[in-house]
Amino acid sequence: MKQIRSMLVVAAFAALAPVTPLLAQAAPLSVPAGEYVLEKTHASLTWKINHLGLSYYTARFTGFDATINLDPKVVTNSSVSVTIDPRSVKTDFPFPEKEDFDKVIAEKVLMAGEHPTITFQSTSLKATGKTTGKLTGNLTLMGVTKPVTLDVTLNGAKEHPMRKVPVLGVSATGSFKRSDFGSNFLLGPVGDEITVLIELEFLKK
């Protein structure tokens, strides 16, 4: 009976383990501490939004910057800051001679004329595995600031094989409701939830 109870306890802990992110720890990194700046030739910031319940309309920002202040020993002590120019949105609209659709999205959906800068400043980073985590921060969009959480993956941290400086590679995904930030243009036919897909490389400053 005692052995059965012990087995049940072990089984219970095993069942709980996958849903106990507080036990997860990020692995220390073999790169130096300090500020890392965006390597813009290998960075993309893409977003998508539902269109008429039929597809996800996809666009991207071409004007943005980001920095990481890295603590390689306790990675969760690191912080991230991002700035985006909403007027840099690119939609690949196929008929630019008929309409500047990039400008329509920038002005009517993102209100870039009144609010020419989007920012994200991290407030916490929690590990969910050795190379994964949840990055929470304050997103300021259209003059409204609200917390947003991104799922992040550290793809690599090493010496850049060509530049010979420390480099980090990061992927991130997340979503938020644009109506929370005051964007109601065509809300209904065009979805409320915006999903972001981010690929970044950072070089040691």
Side-chain angles (χ1 to χ4, degrees):
M1 190 68 176
K2 189 174 181 180
Q3 185 177 8
I4 293 174
R5 284 199 300 269
S6 297
M7 291 175 63
L8 289 173
V9 170
V10 171
F13 274 106
L16 287 172
V19 292
T20 314
L22 294 178
L23 297 179
Q25 292 185 355
L29 304 180
S30 58
V31 291
E35 184 176 353
Y36 285 70
V37 296
L38 187 64
E39 206 283 86
K40 293 185 179 182
T41 61
H42 294 92
S44 65
L45 177 48
T46 306
W47 55 271
K48 62 181 184 178
I49 191 168
N50 191 272
H51 177 254
L52 300 176
L54 298 173
S55 65
Y56 282 85
Y57 193 80
T58 302
R60 66 190 186 281
F61 292 112
T62 58
F64 64 96
D65 206 351
T67 59
I68 292 178
N69 283 297
L70 179 69
D71 181 341
K73 294 183 178 178
V74 185
V75 178
T76 51
N77 288 341
S78 305
S79 62
V80 180
S81 62
V82 182
T83 59
I84 304 165
D85 180 357
R87 293 163 297 191
S88 73
V89 66
K90 300 297 179 186
T91 62
D92 294 325
F93 185 69
F95 308 111
E97 70 281 0
K98 295 182 179 180
E99 184 176 28
D100 186 348
F101 197 59
D102 295 350
K103 186 176 180 180
V104 171
I105 296 299
E107 297 297 333
K108 293 190 176 181
V109 177
L110 300 171
M111 302 180 190
E114 299 172 55
H115 308 288
T117 305
I118 301 169
T119 63
F120 176 85
Q121 179 60 58
S122 68
T123 55
S124 70
L125 174 60
K126 295 182 179 179
T128 57
K130 289 186 176 181
T131 59
T132 59
K134 289 190 176 293
L135 179 70
T136 298
N138 290 321
L139 175 65
T140 300
L141 174 64
M142 294 172 282
V144 178
T145 301
K146 289 187 176 291
V148 169
T149 298
L150 302 173
D151 292 308
V152 297
T153 299
L154 177 66
N155 301 315
K158 59 184 180 181
E159 181 181 274
H160 196 288
M162 289 167 283
R163 298 192 180 216
K164 304 302 180 183
V165 295
V167 62
L168 307 173
V170 179
S171 299
T173 60
S175 62
F176 58 89
K177 291 183 177 181
R178 63 187 177 103
S179 62
D180 288 344
F181 295 85
S183 177
N184 298 306
F185 180 70
L186 293 180
L187 190 61
V190 176
D192 192 8
E193 185 173 80
I194 293 177
T195 299
V196 293
L197 305 100
I198 305 165
E199 299 292 336
L200 305 172
E201 291 185 18
F202 293 88
L203 299 171
K204 180 73 170 65
K205 186 174 179 179

